Amino acid sequence: SVARKLLVGGNWKSHGSLKFVKNFANDTLNKIVYDTSKVEIVIAPVSIHLKDAQEHIANNIHISAQNSSAFEDGAYTGEISASQLANFGIGWTILGHSERRHILGESNTFVASKVKIADEYGLNTIACIGETLDQREAGDTIKVCTDQLDAIRAQVDDWSRIVIAYEPVWAIGTGKTATSEQAQEVHEQIRAWLNENISEEAANNTRILYGGSVNAGNADELIQNPDIDGFLVGGASLKPEFESIVKACN
Ligand code: PEP
């Protein structure tokens, strides 16, 4: 990670209740002792829990949406716009999560439109990319990832508020983590892509998170890699072991 500030994101997906938000804030999140100059924590509850998350989770922890609209405010039933998130005091959004790409059918271009408008309203984006098992076995891992990044590059010039999360689809929620070597190999290639296609500055400064079955048992080893700058955590971010994952980065 060199001089980059590490980041640990908790993606709560469509889990939790208001009671969970309050209890997990008080019992786990607010008790985590870590150096805020070295590590940032970003927690993403479902949107109707954002206000309670803001209220109960300590100020040193950022609160994120799990999605935001590809459009401005308007006639887009069910969407929450980047402008509305910013107005609500939410500084972060997760875009292009594999569940949205693969279950909800979001294309590379559609995800990129969301990143563009989130950036225009000053939101920080965790942009998720990653290949399926079939794509990995076909040898297409890097192509899939760089196609996803190229779509964003076509719409976004300023990468200073973008954090990339490399999340191999086959490792998400499956208990199958990429090995430390597999993860580092892809992260290194993503950084090379940044250097060639965005700027040397973007390559040096952009955080590249790993996601896919990260837990208290594998975080220590994964974080040793020079191009892994933290984690996006699903399942384990709903459990007390989330603290150990943050500690692994501290
Ligand atoms: C995720 O959804 O971003 C994720 C990595 O999930 P899990 O940690 O449960 O594999």
mmCIF file of all heavy atoms in Angstrom, residues 6-8 38-39 219-220 223 229-231 244-250:
data_model
loop_
_atom_site.group_PDB
_atom_site.id
_atom_site.type_symbol
_atom_site.label_atom_id
_atom_site.label_comp_id
_atom_site.label_asym_id
_atom_site.label_seq_id
_atom_site.Cartn_x
_atom_site.Cartn_y
_atom_site.Cartn_z
ATOM 1 N N LEU A 6 -5.320 3.066 3.995
ATOM 2 C CA LEU A 6 -6.097 1.854 3.745
ATOM 3 C C LEU A 6 -7.584 2.131 3.988
ATOM 4 O O LEU A 6 -7.936 3.079 4.690
ATOM 5 C CB LEU A 6 -5.612 0.721 4.640
ATOM 6 C CG LEU A 6 -4.125 0.352 4.491
ATOM 7 C CD1 LEU A 6 -3.793 -0.858 5.356
ATOM 8 C CD2 LEU A 6 -3.749 0.077 3.044
ATOM 9 N N LEU A 7 -8.416 1.302 3.421
ATOM 10 C CA LEU A 7 -9.860 1.486 3.584
ATOM 11 C C LEU A 7 -10.523 0.129 3.802
ATOM 12 O O LEU A 7 -10.217 -0.825 3.084
ATOM 13 C CB LEU A 7 -10.427 2.174 2.325
ATOM 14 C CG LEU A 7 -11.863 2.695 2.400
ATOM 15 C CD1 LEU A 7 -12.048 3.883 1.448
ATOM 16 C CD2 LEU A 7 -12.896 1.630 2.122
ATOM 17 N N VAL A 8 -11.370 0.070 4.798
ATOM 18 C CA VAL A 8 -12.143 -1.154 5.010
ATOM 19 C C VAL A 8 -13.616 -0.786 4.897
ATOM 20 O O VAL A 8 -14.124 0.041 5.668
ATOM 21 C CB VAL A 8 -11.855 -1.796 6.385
ATOM 22 C CG1 VAL A 8 -12.655 -3.098 6.532
ATOM 23 C CG2 VAL A 8 -10.367 -2.070 6.553
ATOM 24 N N LYS A 38 -4.334 6.178 9.318
ATOM 25 C CA LYS A 38 -3.883 5.047 8.489
ATOM 26 C C LYS A 38 -5.015 4.288 7.806
ATOM 27 O O LYS A 38 -4.813 3.668 6.763
ATOM 28 C CB LYS A 38 -3.147 4.025 9.376
ATOM 29 C CG LYS A 38 -1.763 4.428 9.796
ATOM 30 C CD LYS A 38 -1.056 3.203 10.359
ATOM 31 C CE LYS A 38 0.181 3.554 11.136
ATOM 32 N NZ LYS A 38 0.391 2.601 12.236
ATOM 33 N N VAL A 39 -6.175 4.264 8.450
ATOM 34 C CA VAL A 39 -7.280 3.447 7.937
ATOM 35 C C VAL A 39 -8.593 4.230 7.966
ATOM 36 O O VAL A 39 -8.867 4.941 8.935
ATOM 37 C CB VAL A 39 -7.513 2.181 8.820
ATOM 38 C CG1 VAL A 39 -8.465 1.203 8.122
ATOM 39 C CG2 VAL A 39 -6.231 1.502 9.192
ATOM 40 N N ALA A 219 -7.522 -11.896 6.342
ATOM 41 C CA ALA A 219 -7.220 -10.472 6.119
ATOM 42 C C ALA A 219 -5.733 -10.166 6.319
ATOM 43 O O ALA A 219 -5.135 -9.414 5.542
ATOM 44 C CB ALA A 219 -8.072 -9.608 7.034
ATOM 45 N N ASP A 220 -5.138 -10.766 7.338
ATOM 46 C CA ASP A 220 -3.731 -10.494 7.659
ATOM 47 C C ASP A 220 -2.813 -10.785 6.483
ATOM 48 O O ASP A 220 -1.921 -10.007 6.179
ATOM 49 C CB ASP A 220 -3.270 -11.384 8.831
ATOM 50 C CG ASP A 220 -3.600 -10.753 10.162
ATOM 51 O OD1 ASP A 220 -3.352 -9.533 10.301
ATOM 52 O OD2 ASP A 220 -4.105 -11.473 11.045
ATOM 53 N N ILE A 223 -3.508 -8.443 3.239
ATOM 54 C CA ILE A 223 -3.113 -7.032 3.349
ATOM 55 C C ILE A 223 -1.597 -6.842 3.226
ATOM 56 O O ILE A 223 -1.132 -5.714 3.020
ATOM 57 C CB ILE A 223 -3.673 -6.401 4.652
ATOM 58 C CG1 ILE A 223 -3.791 -4.877 4.519
ATOM 59 C CG2 ILE A 223 -2.845 -6.773 5.882
ATOM 60 C CD1 ILE A 223 -4.773 -4.384 3.505
ATOM 61 N N ASP A 229 -5.027 -2.393 -0.886
ATOM 62 C CA ASP A 229 -5.114 -1.215 -0.010
ATOM 63 C C ASP A 229 -6.310 -1.270 0.922
ATOM 64 O O ASP A 229 -6.811 -0.227 1.350
ATOM 65 C CB ASP A 229 -5.208 0.048 -0.876
ATOM 66 C CG ASP A 229 -4.076 0.143 -1.880
ATOM 67 O OD1 ASP A 229 -2.910 -0.029 -1.469
ATOM 68 O OD2 ASP A 229 -4.349 0.383 -3.078
ATOM 69 N N GLY A 230 -6.775 -2.471 1.198
ATOM 70 C CA GLY A 230 -7.906 -2.615 2.107
ATOM 71 C C GLY A 230 -8.904 -3.593 1.517
ATOM 72 O O GLY A 230 -8.597 -4.306 0.551
ATOM 73 N N PHE A 231 -10.105 -3.586 2.101
ATOM 74 C CA PHE A 231 -11.072 -4.624 1.758
ATOM 75 C C PHE A 231 -12.485 -4.063 1.610
ATOM 76 O O PHE A 231 -12.831 -3.082 2.265
ATOM 77 C CB PHE A 231 -11.111 -5.685 2.865
ATOM 78 C CG PHE A 231 -9.783 -6.338 3.127
ATOM 79 C CD1 PHE A 231 -9.130 -6.149 4.339
ATOM 80 C CD2 PHE A 231 -9.174 -7.115 2.149
ATOM 81 C CE1 PHE A 231 -7.891 -6.749 4.589
ATOM 82 C CE2 PHE A 231 -7.943 -7.720 2.384
ATOM 83 C CZ PHE A 231 -7.302 -7.543 3.608
ATOM 84 N N SER A 244 -11.545 -7.369 13.717
ATOM 85 C CA SER A 244 -10.238 -7.984 13.430
ATOM 86 C C SER A 244 -9.762 -7.634 12.026
ATOM 87 O O SER A 244 -8.560 -7.539 11.777
ATOM 88 C CB SER A 244 -10.327 -9.507 13.516
ATOM 89 O OG SER A 244 -10.911 -9.879 14.726
ATOM 90 N N ILE A 245 -10.705 -7.471 11.103
ATOM 91 C CA ILE A 245 -10.324 -7.117 9.728
ATOM 92 C C ILE A 245 -9.760 -5.696 9.698
ATOM 93 O O ILE A 245 -8.758 -5.424 9.048
ATOM 94 C CB ILE A 245 -11.535 -7.296 8.783
ATOM 95 C CG1 ILE A 245 -11.978 -8.770 8.779
ATOM 96 C CG2 ILE A 245 -11.196 -6.821 7.364
ATOM 97 C CD1 ILE A 245 -13.295 -9.048 8.067
ATOM 98 N N VAL A 246 -10.389 -4.797 10.454
ATOM 99 C CA VAL A 246 -9.858 -3.428 10.547
ATOM 100 C C VAL A 246 -8.478 -3.468 11.214
ATOM 101 O O VAL A 246 -7.529 -2.828 10.741
ATOM 102 C CB VAL A 246 -10.808 -2.500 11.343
ATOM 103 C CG1 VAL A 246 -10.179 -1.125 11.534
ATOM 104 C CG2 VAL A 246 -12.162 -2.391 10.644
ATOM 105 N N LYS A 247 -8.369 -4.259 12.261
ATOM 106 C CA LYS A 247 -7.087 -4.347 12.993
ATOM 107 C C LYS A 247 -5.971 -4.886 12.100
ATOM 108 O O LYS A 247 -4.807 -4.493 12.230
ATOM 109 C CB LYS A 247 -7.243 -5.236 14.232
ATOM 110 C CG LYS A 247 -8.110 -4.609 15.342
ATOM 111 C CD LYS A 247 -7.270 -3.741 16.253
ATOM 112 C CE LYS A 247 -8.081 -2.836 17.163
ATOM 113 N NZ LYS A 247 -8.734 -3.514 18.262
ATOM 114 N N ALA A 248 -6.330 -5.783 11.193
ATOM 115 C CA ALA A 248 -5.322 -6.335 10.269
ATOM 116 C C ALA A 248 -4.729 -5.236 9.397
ATOM 117 O O ALA A 248 -3.599 -5.350 8.924
ATOM 118 C CB ALA A 248 -5.951 -7.416 9.389
ATOM 119 N N CYS A 249 -5.495 -4.167 9.201
ATOM 120 C CA CYS A 249 -5.043 -3.066 8.340
ATOM 121 C C CYS A 249 -4.349 -1.970 9.130
ATOM 122 O O CYS A 249 -3.859 -0.998 8.562
ATOM 123 C CB CYS A 249 -6.233 -2.456 7.608
ATOM 124 S SG CYS A 249 -6.998 -3.605 6.455
ATOM 125 N N ASN A 250 -4.346 -2.066 10.414
ATOM 126 C CA ASN A 250 -3.892 -0.939 11.239
ATOM 127 C C ASN A 250 -2.427 -1.030 11.619
ATOM 128 O O ASN A 250 -1.932 -2.058 11.954
ATOM 129 C CB ASN A 250 -4.755 -0.878 12.492
ATOM 130 C CG ASN A 250 -4.674 0.474 13.158
ATOM 131 O OD1 ASN A 250 -4.805 1.497 12.518
ATOM 132 N ND2 ASN A 250 -4.441 0.458 14.442
#
